[in-house]
Amino acid sequence: MQSIIITGAGSGIGRLTAKAFLDAGWKVGLVGRREAPLEETADGNPNALVLPFDVADPEAVEAGFDKAMAEWGRIDALFNNAGVNVPGAMIDEIPAEDWLKLSSINISGMFLCARAAFGRMRRQDPQGGRIINNGSVSAHVPRWGSAPYTTSKHAVTGLTRSLSLDGRAFNIACGQIDIGNALTDMAQKMTQGVPQADGSIAVEPVMDAKHVASTVMHMATLPLEANVQFVTVMAPGMPYIGRG
């Protein structure tokens, strides 16, 4: 039975993806800051391992991954998913505290969880594993007023590329899923109207977030001789590559 750790598993894409892996018979480590939502995701499944910790806390990350290793003996995959956003605004109107909070999760948290997974995958027997980072279409192009989030997602792409290169010697594959307008609580505002590049407000098409979960499942179930390096899963009509 294969194992995966999923961060941000208490809601949204993380919860849907975790449930998909549990339904497929995987052992799933559920990571989030609050235990209660993780227990809701687990829903009594004996293959779920609740790991309540803050991805931005280096000691807590190490302790959480140690617990998974003690429980399972190995970690086959990590879906590095946890992330937050801040309200859209011009960069000089964004409180420094908002940037520091966002970057601690979206950049430092991604780095620390990848670091923890990589170290264990490198040393386990048999060696290897897969890391899947949650990017965004913002890893390619920005939205209006999105300097903090867009900066963080460009950083994720750099992390993905570095891990892909460094992991070659240890049979560790790394890929990235870039998501556009998957309908979660965070994206609900898309259906009400959001700022566009020309200053207007417009409703944007959304897609069922289950398509993200199925794509992550495809990436994770490939043999380690194959890797999806980058994939974009999005609502076709959203304002991207000239559409919308």
Side-chain angles (χ1 to χ4, degrees):
M1 186 183 297
Q2 288 191 292
S3 60
I4 185 170
I5 290 178
I6 297 177
T7 66
S11 63
I13 286 168
R15 172 174 283 182
L16 282 170
T17 306
K19 285 184 172 292
F21 275 86
L22 286 168
D23 289 345
W26 285 55
K27 292 180 283 191
V28 182
L30 308 173
V31 175
R33 283 175 291 179
R34 297 179 297 131
E35 185 170 356
L38 300 177
E39 293 287 359
E40 290 178 11
T41 300
D43 195 26
N45 191 308
N47 290 328
L49 178 63
V50 173
L51 299 169
F53 64 80
D54 184 348
V55 297
D57 181 334
E59 292 184 1
V61 170
E62 289 297 313
F65 276 75
D66 279 345
K67 183 175 180 181
M69 286 294 290
E71 184 78 17
W72 302 331
R74 66 179 290 108
I75 296 170
D76 294 302
L78 164 67
F79 180 33
N80 216 1
N81 166 70
V84 297
N85 204 348
V86 297
M90 295 295 94
I91 189 169
D92 59 312
E93 299 171 359
I94 295 169
E97 293 78 11
D98 283 359
W99 160 250
L100 293 171
K101 178 181 177 182
L102 179 146
S103 61
S104 73
I105 297 169
N106 292 18
I107 301 176
S108 294
M110 281 270 183
F111 178 91
L112 292 171
C113 289
R115 177 180 181 270
F118 192 101
R120 286 155 182 82
M121 291 172 180
R122 178 182 175 183
R123 294 171 177 85
Q124 65 193 7
D125 185 19
Q127 188 180 61
R130 189 182 305 275
I131 296 169
I132 300 169
N133 292 327
N134 187 345
S136 169
V137 294
S138 293
H140 302 272
V141 291
R143 283 187 172 275
W144 171 90
S146 69
Y149 189 77
T150 298
T151 299
S152 73
K153 292 305 183 178
H154 276 68
V156 171
T157 298
L159 177 64
T160 299
R161 288 176 169 151
S162 293
L163 293 176
S164 296
L165 178 59
D166 295 348
R168 288 177 182 174
F170 310 110
N171 205 29
I172 298 171
C174 183
Q176 181 169 315
I177 180 168
D178 295 324
I179 303 163
N181 289 18
L183 186 55
T184 62
D185 289 344
M186 182 183 281
Q188 191 66 42
K189 61 187 177 182
M190 306 287 182
T191 65
Q192 310 299 319
V194 290
Q196 305 296 304
D198 63 1
S200 65
I201 301 293
V203 171
E204 293 188 9
V206 294
M207 66 172 180
D208 193 322
K210 69 181 182 183
H211 302 305
V212 177
S214 64
T215 303
V216 175
M217 176 70 70
H218 171 68
M219 296 170 76
T221 53
L222 286 172
L224 288 174
E225 66 179 3
N227 186 43
V228 175
Q229 187 65 69
F230 292 98
V231 62
T232 302
V233 182
M234 54 177 269
M238 67 176 290
Y240 184 64
I241 54 173
R243 300 199 213 186

